[in-house]
Amino acid sequence: MAQAKDEKTLEIGGREVVITSPTKLLIPAAGVTKLDLVNYYVAVAEGALRGAGGRPCVLVRYPNGIAEDFFFQKRAPTKRPDWVEVSEIRFPSGRTAEEVVPRHPADLAWMANLACLELHPHPVRAEDLDHPDELRVDLDPVPGVEWPQIREVADVVHQVLAELGLKGWPKTSGSRGIHVLVRIQPKWTFDEVRRAALALAREVEKRAPSLATSKWWKEERRGVFVDYNQNAKDRTVTSAYSVRPKPDARVSAPVTWKELVDCNPADFTLHTMPERFRRIGDPHAEIEQWQCSLEPLLELSRRHEAEGLGDAPWPPHYAKAAGEPRRAPPSTARVKKPLIEVARSEREAEAVAAAEEWKAKHPKAAAHLEPADVLVDRMRGSSSLWYRVRINLERVPARLRPKSDKPG
């Protein structure tokens, strides 16, 4: 059968990939056509598959180029070559979808033919969808923050990871930020990996409070946000060598820590990356040889919790987590202490004794209390006095906070 004029067939590693509308412009300012995108991913396939290969991927498609609407496609197209692998992902909502799992350069070419610019893999392998093998540190600058400050925060991330025995692999995001990848043993749950990422974010903020923040609400952020929530289940980030929807066709570039000091993200584009790849190879070539333990970060998380730092807000479409603080910007909240009533008594001495009994019943929570956190209130009734005992749990980690013992 004769091939249509607006199609081109490529043979890639023994597989045929049909490219439709190969001359369609996807990034007009940089002159990038669909065929250019296909050829780019084939040229850097070894590195791109090191980042996204074997992982379920969300397709981020720009069918009419970056100037027009784009969409996230979680479900793999039903019409696809039989050699394209899929894996069923279950989302926090309970819904499922079969997502594309690229393993071969031809898979990347087929995805590029769908005008899929970016590779958005989950941090799990298709063989084990419940245990991430990658912790992702996403450094997201607030408006106005320049590249040198983002690099400084990345350096603090590097220091913290190294002190804890973890190896971080940096890359430009292809936009304004930096990603640091940490390959981990696939033995912890998504919630544990997120908790570790939160501990890391808080430690970075503690060391560089004028540069970095772990605050989720934008009204509280300053400098560079260390986005711990990118490690929640169902979240993805652009992986190494992904083409970003920017006028200059820049890409997410793996770099060494030494190179990060002097590099300019604008230097890494669809046009320049293939030559760089041929010349120096993949700076992350050894990333697969590392499987770090998450325990040092989880131990740091436990220390934070003992100091009174509980959970932090989750993204809005996730179910409310146990111990999660109020899910609303601080500006909308009324100032309210976490007080619980534990006893009522006709006599003050009995009220004080009740407070001591409560502390003996809940020793883990009581260990975090200061004397001022035990409130013995003198209450006036219609014809008599009585005493109420309340406990201020503000210093107690959320997971250790008992519920009220107030009589029903």
Side-chain angles (χ1 to χ4, degrees):
M1 180 182 293
Q3 185 157 342
K5 278 182 122 179
D6 59 347
E7 290 184 356
K8 183 179 180 66
T9 299
L10 301 180
E11 193 278 325
I12 302 172
R15 297 175 178 177
E16 288 191 349
V17 182
V18 176
I19 311 303
T20 58
S21 304
T23 60
K24 175 183 280 189
L25 278 174
L26 297 181
I27 308 179
V32 175
T33 66
K34 187 190 288 188
L35 184 59
D36 292 330
L37 182 67
V38 171
N39 288 334
Y40 165 77
Y41 274 119
V42 173
V44 299
E46 179 187 345
L49 289 171
R50 188 170 286 118
R55 304 175 183 276
C57 289
V58 176
L59 304 178
V60 188
R61 299 178 61 181
Y62 296 78
N64 297 306
I66 66 170
E68 303 294 334
D69 291 341
F70 71 98
F71 62 96
F72 287 80
Q73 182 174 340
K74 294 185 176 182
R75 289 171 172 78
T78 54
K79 187 178 180 181
R80 59 180 184 267
D82 56 10
W83 40 260
V84 172
E85 182 181 335
V86 296
S87 181
E88 186 175 79
I89 287 284
R90 182 172 295 277
F91 306 119
S93 64
R95 291 178 298 176
T96 62
E98 288 189 332
E99 294 190 2
V100 174
V101 180
R103 295 189 186 271
H104 189 280
D107 299 333
L108 299 179
W110 175 79
M111 294 164 71
N113 181 59
L114 297 176
C116 179
L117 264 65
E118 304 170 298
L119 303 175
H120 268 257
H122 292 265
V124 293
R125 304 284 181 171
E127 293 77 15
D128 184 355
L129 300 176
D130 296 318
H131 299 94
D133 72 335
E134 191 168 80
L135 180 146
R136 296 167 173 179
V137 185
D138 182 6
L139 303 182
D140 183 13
V142 303
V145 172
E146 301 296 333
W147 179 248
Q149 181 173 337
I150 307 168
R151 285 202 316 255
E152 286 186 70
V153 176
D155 187 55
V156 178
V157 171
H158 186 200
Q159 293 172 20
V160 175
L161 290 174
E163 289 175 15
L164 296 176
L166 289 86
K167 186 172 179 62
W169 301 81
K171 68 182 184 71
T172 67
S173 71
S175 183
R176 297 182 60 237
I178 292 173
H179 297 154
V180 181
L181 310 176
V182 181
R183 290 291 174 87
I184 59 175
Q185 300 163 14
K187 58 188 288 188
W188 291 278
T189 65
F190 276 94
D191 286 359
E192 288 172 319
V193 175
R194 176 189 173 276
R195 183 151 56 91
L198 174 59
L200 175 64
R202 285 171 167 167
E203 184 65 18
V204 171
E205 180 180 35
K206 178 181 177 182
R207 298 190 185 196
S210 64
L211 301 175
T213 181
S214 65
K215 301 298 186 294
W216 173 251
W217 301 112
K218 290 185 177 180
E219 64 187 41
E220 294 186 293
R221 294 181 192 172
R222 68 202 175 284
V224 179
F225 173 45
V226 186
D227 190 354
Y228 59 90
N229 267 334
Q230 291 291 26
N231 294 275
K233 185 177 174 60
D234 193 30
R235 297 296 284 251
T236 63
V237 297
T238 51
S239 66
Y241 299 96
S242 287
V243 179
R244 303 307 303 274
K246 301 294 181 182
D248 58 359
R250 68 180 61 185
V251 305
S252 179
V255 294
T256 65
W257 285 108
K258 182 178 180 180
E259 190 178 21
L260 186 64
V261 174
D262 298 315
C263 76
N264 183 340
D267 292 338
F268 307 118
T269 71
L270 176 146
H271 296 300
T272 64
M273 183 58 76
E275 171 56 30
R276 168 184 163 89
F277 194 84
R278 284 191 294 270
R279 179 168 45 87
I280 70 169
D282 182 9
H284 290 188
E286 297 180 359
I287 193 172
E288 299 286 9
Q289 300 175 25
W290 291 82
Q291 281 196 333
C292 301
S293 172
L294 207 59
E295 279 303 324
L297 278 174
L298 292 175
E299 174 57 30
L300 179 62
S301 175
R302 288 188 283 270
R303 292 205 302 269
H304 287 170
E305 290 173 357
E307 294 167 2
L309 290 173
D311 201 355
W314 287 66
H317 62 285
Y318 286 73
K320 185 78 171 177
E324 181 185 355
R326 182 175 181 268
R327 194 179 289 179
S331 60
T332 67
R334 297 178 179 177
V335 178
K336 186 177 181 181
K337 301 288 187 181
L339 302 176
I340 61 170
E341 182 176 336
V342 300
R344 297 183 180 188
S345 176
E346 294 181 356
R347 296 176 177 82
E348 185 174 6
E350 293 175 356
V352 172
E356 294 303 314
E357 290 175 4
W358 184 92
K359 287 193 286 186
K361 183 178 178 181
H362 305 286
K364 291 184 180 180
H368 295 274
L369 299 178
E370 298 289 343
D373 294 327
V374 180
L375 310 176
V376 181
D377 305 313
R378 187 179 182 184
M379 310 296 291
R380 183 179 294 276
S382 58
S383 59
S384 63
L385 292 173
W386 55 281
Y387 295 86
R388 179 181 65 184
V389 182
R390 293 181 299 160
I391 306 292
N392 179 8
L393 300 176
E394 192 173 20
R395 302 178 214 272
V396 179
R399 64 187 179 82
L400 298 179
R401 293 179 182 177
K403 295 183 179 179
S404 175
D405 288 343
K406 177 182 174 182

